[in-house]
Amino acid sequence: MVRLKYRYFLTSLHYLDSGPDLQLTSEILQNAIYNSIEENYGEFGLGHVLGRIKITYLALLSGTVLIRVPADFEKQSRVSLSSLVVVNSKRCVLNVIHVGGTIRSCQKQLVKHNVNSLHRQMLDTQDVREREHIKDVLEQTLLEIRNLAVS
């Protein structure tokens, strides 16, 4: 028996024309990915991954998406995700943040990504109150990360 290996793509979904699409479901996003794979690699590429791609996590407000793909179709999946421009009739961009072999590695990378974006947001903010609030949230987050690493 052969063990199936998967890769996990941690991605961020950004809409170009509007805010987050609250009607989006994992099935709609999965079908959009299948359509992108079919456009790039035809029926053979689609047949190779059909039923093997899974949306593991979807956060609509933050735009964070975790996608499981077959390891032997990793490069083709990355190309198809990058060329995805329309989801649920709305223009969007799907950025790949991290590719990992486990969900845990993607979770760690997501925390790092969120801390970095909070830090950038704090530096870009002109309002003193907002900057202090972001600084407090950032310090609390870093403290929680250290506590998780110790235990």
Side-chain angles (χ1 to χ4, degrees):
M1 181 131 185
V2 177
R3 182 176 149 224
L4 297 176
K5 291 188 178 183
Y6 292 98
R7 293 291 177 257
Y8 294 89
F9 284 85
L10 177 63
T11 61
S12 62
L13 182 64
H14 300 284
Y15 289 95
L16 301 177
D17 298 332
S18 61
D21 182 7
L22 300 179
Q23 310 301 324
L24 183 67
T25 63
S26 351
E27 291 81 23
I28 293 171
L29 183 58
Q30 190 171 6
N31 288 335
I33 293 170
Y34 285 147
N35 290 338
S36 178
I37 289 172
E38 187 175 21
E39 284 176 16
N40 289 307
Y41 299 101
E43 291 179 3
F44 178 76
L46 181 62
H48 185 72
V49 297
L50 199 60
R52 294 175 62 196
I53 290 182
K54 181 180 178 186
I55 307 297
T56 307
Y57 177 74
L58 173 64
L60 295 177
L61 293 177
S62 66
T64 304
V65 183
L66 187 63
I67 305 167
R68 185 186 77 176
V69 300
D72 57 341
F73 206 71
E74 177 185 343
K75 291 179 184 175
Q76 293 89 340
S77 298
R78 181 181 277 246
V79 169
S80 297
L81 290 175
S82 298
S83 65
L84 188 66
V85 292
V86 176
V87 173
N88 207 15
S89 302
K90 294 190 178 188
R91 292 183 44 216
C92 65
V93 175
L94 198 64
N95 295 324
V96 177
I97 299 170
H98 176 74
V99 179
T102 63
I103 294 176
R104 178 117 173 115
S105 69
C106 291
Q107 287 173 334
K108 288 178 182 178
Q109 193 63 34
L110 179 61
V111 169
K112 288 180 185 178
H113 180 263
N114 288 342
V115 167
N116 289 338
S117 64
L118 273 174
H119 192 265
R120 277 191 310 262
Q121 187 178 3
M122 183 180 76
L123 294 176
D124 291 343
T125 302
Q126 300 299 325
D127 186 22
V128 176
R129 287 183 183 168
E130 187 175 347
R131 182 177 289 174
E132 287 299 318
H133 177 69
I134 294 171
K135 185 177 179 181
D136 292 341
V137 169
L138 189 57
E139 288 173 357
Q140 183 67 28
T141 304
L142 291 173
L143 182 64
E144 288 176 12
I145 292 170
R146 286 187 196 111
N147 290 339
L148 285 174
V150 170
S151 54

